[in-house]
Amino acid sequence: MERDTNFVLGIYDDEDVLKEAVTKVRDSGVKIHEVFSPYPVHGLEDVLGYRRSRLPIAAFLFGLCGTCLALTMQILMMAVDWPMIIGGKDHAAIPDFIPVTFELTVLLAAFGMVGVFMISSDLKPWAQPRIFDKRSTDDKHVMAIDIAVNAGHEENKIKELLQASGASEVNNKSFE
Amino acid sequence: MQVTSSVREPLVTGGKTYKDVTHDVSRQVEGKPTIGWMLGLAVSIGVLLLGSIAVGATVWEGIGMWGLNKTVGWAWDITNFVWWVGIGHAGTLISAVLLLFRQKWRTSINRAAEAMTIFAVICAAMFPVLHMGRPWLGAYWALPLPNVFGSLWVNFNSPLLWDVFAISTYFSVSLVFWYIGLIPDFATIRDRATGLRKVIYGALSFGWTGAAKIWMRYEAVSLILAGLATPLVLSVHTIVSFDFATSVIPGWHTTIFPPYFVAGAIFSGFAMVLTLMLITRKLFKLEDYITMVHIELMNIVIIITGSIVGIAYITEFFIAWYSGVEAEQYAFINRAFGPYWWAYWSMMTCNVISPQLFWFKKIRTSIVFTFALSIVVNIGMWFERFVIIVTSLHRDYLPSSWAMFYPTWADVGVYLFTFGLFFTLFLLFAKFFPVINMAEVKSVLKSSSEKVNK
């Protein structure tokens, strides 16, 4: 359960203004809770200081599992459990096993990575997300600042900072 | 703020703002269905029901209902299967390959093209499943499960089994790619909705908030899925071509098949995307998003792939002559001048000559010509598969077993069924799902529109 919290929201109309604003706010020592956008803003993760996603590593590892699973399965079934000569080929006819191995590698890499993405981002059909401002899925960028986390900064100062950084609106939002 | 490029045409016209994109795309999801849409759905469901009589008869009586015989063991079923799988290729090509190549023009058409892929693969899967004769056992036979009558496994040396893995992987990865792309747009619709619609789109949006951290991961996922799907597109039709190429039938046993099939698939897929896009943009008034630039670029892809297919046809003839194999040479002479000459020349006219018309700018920027030629290409590609399959089988090494194939009403009916199914699913998608990827269009709006309002 998330705690009761009060937020100050800076609403921005333009992605370039937003990126500059994020830099300004972070430079002033105010901690940003999160920024919400209707579309992916390239470069925003850098100014927010986020670490690169490790999902490619997850994809690689799941893909590797797919390769091993496919080769093991085919060799066990074709060469160990019920060996038959087909077209005069070896029991473990590796070139014949490449198509299925490739497909299972892709399948496991894709599903594994997407699964990790869903879990790590808490995306599920029954999720009840906190919506800071509905316009953040339409046409506005929303910067949310948690007042409790920034106890060292006065709320009014934070609002002034957001206004000065180019926010078209500055609002308050509380969640119970 | 005015953002215009002097070197390229805008991808979104009409001076759209971010809010306009949301409004224009959500309009048909939120509004009442139009008369055109209802009429289209009624016709599609009608065709589906009509075709289901043939599907029912096939399941009840067996595939003796079809025109297949001992010589032509595969005909309409596999022709239709390969044709539908081919159509499915453009969707993943547009969404994955063009994403990797940073082609921004894909953003307006990728959603509908991906949906087309999913529905086309469903239609394709109908044919091998029905061809199994007892489809309720089909899944059991095709999966690597131990046989209860003895520990006999599926044959991993067979291209038909590779097909099972290829098609099911292609379908499921495409489905995931499509759905991941839909999540942010479902959230947009959720945030505009009330009542039951809010609950439904709330569940479909998986709790998406548009947080920067999640967008970052989302972009990583999209890029890797694109990287995985790109070789997948090539592998699927390559493997489909192995069904033929690994056999020893004259006309099938050729190394040119994998690239030739892939080019043909993209050729027919783009033609179907054009057919659907031209209808969709008119029906839902999306002319500012699916512009003449998009249509022209797709037509250029059709020229390229059509020309590759044309070269492949000529190469096949050359190799048949150059190989010195009598049976191979006869197979190709029989294709052009045998009893199925009409199918061969239909294929040549539709696939080799018609796309070359797109070299003329006037034709490739004409809606009427594009629509007509997109249908011509799809007819041609159907004939291509028919020619490869039926003409190669009906006269092989043994003249004593030569025979003709004539389709029955059940053959035609099952094909009609898949048409009904495809268009029913596509129309339902177009009404209830955002047909254009709003988030992606918004992300290219600033650099690619006529004007973006601050």
Side-chain angles (χ1 to χ4, degrees):
Chain A
M1 278 298 284
E2 290 181 274
R3 64 196 161 80
D4 297 357
T5 32
N6 294 313
F7 291 89
V8 175
L9 306 181
I11 315 287
Y12 296 84
D13 298 339
D14 185 83
E15 59 183 72
D16 295 322
V17 177
L18 171 77
K19 278 189 270 187
E20 280 173 30
V22 167
T23 313
K24 271 186 204 159
V25 171
R26 288 191 75 210
D27 288 348
S28 70
V30 173
K31 284 200 175 71
I32 298 170
H33 173 70
E34 186 52 283
V35 176
F36 301 91
S37 296
Y39 58 86
V41 177
H42 293 157
L44 186 60
E45 64 277 11
D46 296 331
V47 289
L48 279 165
Y50 290 155
R51 272 193 359 192
R52 265 176 71 116
S53 168
R54 281 171 294 178
L55 283 164
I57 301 170
F60 176 76
L61 293 177
F62 276 106
L64 209 60
C65 291
T67 311
C68 297
L69 173 79
L71 281 175
T72 314
M73 174 179 78
Q74 292 174 96
I75 292 168
L76 276 179
M77 290 175 184
M78 296 280 102
V80 178
D81 193 41
W82 195 268
M84 283 173 78
I85 304 281
I86 295 161
K89 296 166 195 156
D90 287 345
H91 297 311
I94 300 295
D96 284 8
F97 298 164
I98 288 173
V100 170
T101 308
F102 170 77
E103 300 298 335
L104 283 184
T105 303
V106 169
L107 187 73
L108 261 74
F111 272 74
M113 176 186 60
V114 169
V116 172
F117 166 63
M118 291 288 187
I119 293 165
S120 64
S121 305
D122 201 23
L123 294 174
K124 48 189 184 259
W126 57 92
Q128 298 290 334
R130 282 174 162 182
I131 306 295
F132 284 82
D133 192 311
K134 284 184 174 179
R135 291 172 297 174
S136 69
T137 53
D138 181 4
D139 63 337
K140 304 285 184 200
H141 305 278
V142 176
M143 189 196 297
I145 293 168
D146 190 337
I147 296 169
V149 170
N150 292 288
H153 300 268
E154 276 181 45
E155 190 178 330
N156 281 342
K157 293 276 181 206
I158 297 173
K159 285 183 172 176
E160 279 170 23
L161 179 67
L162 292 179
Q163 205 86 57
S165 69
S168 57
E169 269 177 53
V170 177
N171 301 326
N172 277 86
K173 179 86 183 178
S174 303
F175 292 98
E176 289 186 359
Chain B
M1 184 172 68
Q2 184 83 20
V3 182
T4 50
S5 166
S6 55
V7 289
R8 59 185 65 172
E9 295 280 315
L11 293 178
V12 179
T13 56
K16 299 289 180 188
T17 62
Y18 297 123
K19 209 167 189 57
D20 291 336
V21 176
T22 311
H23 177 261
D24 292 349
V25 178
S26 308
R27 192 174 45 211
Q28 69 266 5
V29 179
E30 293 164 350
K32 285 201 173 117
T34 58
I35 300 285
W37 180 84
M38 286 201 284
L39 217 65
L41 190 69
V43 172
S44 305
I45 293 177
V47 173
L48 178 77
L49 290 175
L50 204 67
S52 62
I53 299 170
V55 173
T58 303
V59 172
W60 190 255
E61 298 283 344
I63 54 167
M65 294 297 291
W66 295 352
L68 305 178
N69 50 53
K70 270 181 83 177
T71 302
V72 188
W74 290 0
W76 267 45
D77 45 345
I78 304 298
T79 300
N80 297 339
F81 163 73
V82 181
W83 187 74
W84 275 119
V85 175
I87 284 173
H89 275 58
T92 318
L93 189 100
I94 288 171
S95 42
V97 181
L98 299 184
L99 175 68
L100 283 187
F101 286 106
R102 308 270 184 236
Q103 293 295 306
K104 287 181 179 174
W105 62 273
R106 59 180 274 287
T107 54
S108 293
I109 50 169
N110 65 348
R111 169 72 46 77
E114 286 166 37
M116 185 193 80
T117 293
I118 309 288
F119 306 145
V121 175
I122 293 173
C123 291
M126 287 288 303
F127 293 98
V129 168
L130 285 175
H131 198 175
M132 286 174 176
R134 282 182 277 173
W136 53 96
L137 293 175
Y140 173 76
W141 284 331
L143 291 175
L145 298 168
N147 188 328
V148 287
F149 306 112
S151 181
L152 186 64
W153 300 97
V154 284
N155 180 11
F156 284 102
N157 297 281
S158 163
L160 297 178
L161 187 69
W162 305 343
D163 248 0
V164 173
F165 279 85
I167 303 291
S168 49
T169 301
Y170 186 56
F171 177 75
S172 38
V173 172
S174 300
L175 190 68
V176 166
F177 200 9
W178 180 59
Y179 198 82
I180 293 281
L182 274 163
I183 289 176
D185 287 359
F186 281 144
T188 305
I189 296 171
R190 171 200 68 197
D191 290 346
R192 289 163 58 92
T194 51
L196 181 65
R197 188 182 290 141
K198 193 177 181 69
V199 176
I200 294 169
Y201 287 100
L204 289 172
S205 67
F206 277 46
W208 180 269
T209 56
K213 186 166 269 171
I214 301 179
W215 270 125
M216 180 183 73
R217 293 180 188 144
Y218 170 92
E219 290 243 281
V221 166
S222 301
L223 207 62
I224 299 165
L225 277 179
L228 290 169
T230 299
L232 198 58
V233 174
L234 305 181
S235 83
V236 171
H237 233 60
T238 299
I239 292 174
V240 169
S241 83
F242 286 165
D243 290 347
F244 308 101
T246 58
S247 74
V248 290
I249 302 288
W252 283 6
H253 186 57
T254 54
T255 48
I256 200 178
F257 263 24
Y260 159 25
F261 268 51
V262 170
I266 295 163
F267 181 50
S268 65
F270 266 82
M272 188 60 110
V273 171
L274 272 169
T275 312
L276 292 177
M277 287 291 113
L278 292 176
I279 298 171
T280 308
R281 79 196 277 271
K282 185 83 190 154
L283 212 60
F284 297 140
K285 299 184 179 64
L286 294 169
E287 286 92 344
D288 284 327
Y289 299 93
I290 304 161
T291 64
M292 199 42 83
V293 175
H294 293 94
I295 295 167
E296 195 180 351
L297 286 167
M298 284 194 272
N299 281 334
I300 291 171
V301 175
I302 287 189
I303 302 176
I304 297 165
T305 48
S307 302
I308 298 174
V309 166
I311 290 171
Y313 295 162
I314 299 162
T315 310
E316 274 192 315
F317 256 89
F318 171 75
I319 294 296
W321 165 75
Y322 190 66
S323 67
V325 178
E326 206 181 331
E328 190 77 17
Q329 287 169 347
Y330 177 74
F332 281 88
I333 291 166
N334 182 49
R335 268 186 197 179
F337 304 107
Y340 289 109
W341 64 270
W342 48 272
Y344 180 81
W345 292 108
S346 303
M347 165 190 103
M348 284 303 247
T349 316
C350 296
N351 291 352
V352 183
I353 300 164
S354 75
Q356 302 307 323
L357 294 172
F358 283 138
W359 286 104
F360 300 103
K361 194 172 172 77
K362 271 218 168 107
I363 292 181
R364 71 170 181 263
T365 53
S366 152
I367 303 278
V368 177
F369 270 106
T370 304
F371 188 71
L373 285 175
S374 71
I375 291 169
V376 166
V377 166
N378 266 315
I379 294 171
M381 284 308 293
W382 188 88
F383 273 115
E384 181 202 292
R385 277 70 189 246
F386 179 83
V387 166
I388 291 173
I389 293 158
V390 175
T391 66
S392 300
L393 280 179
H394 90 119
R395 287 182 178 177
D396 62 3
Y397 298 107
L398 273 180
S400 61
S401 63
W402 286 6
M404 292 291 286
F405 163 78
Y406 300 104
T408 63
W409 69 270
D411 279 305
V412 181
V414 176
Y415 189 39
L416 271 183
F417 174 83
T418 54
F419 265 103
L421 182 66
F422 180 78
F423 283 103
T424 303
L425 291 171
F426 192 83
L427 284 166
L428 289 174
F429 151 77
K431 172 69 188 80
F432 296 107
F433 284 16
V435 77
I436 284 179
N437 193 329
M438 289 189 265
E440 289 202 5
V441 168
K442 284 174 192 169
S443 70
V444 301
L445 202 59
K446 199 169 173 182
S447 57
S448 318
S449 83
E450 280 179 322
K451 188 175 127 197
V452 168
N453 295 349
K454 275 192 84 173

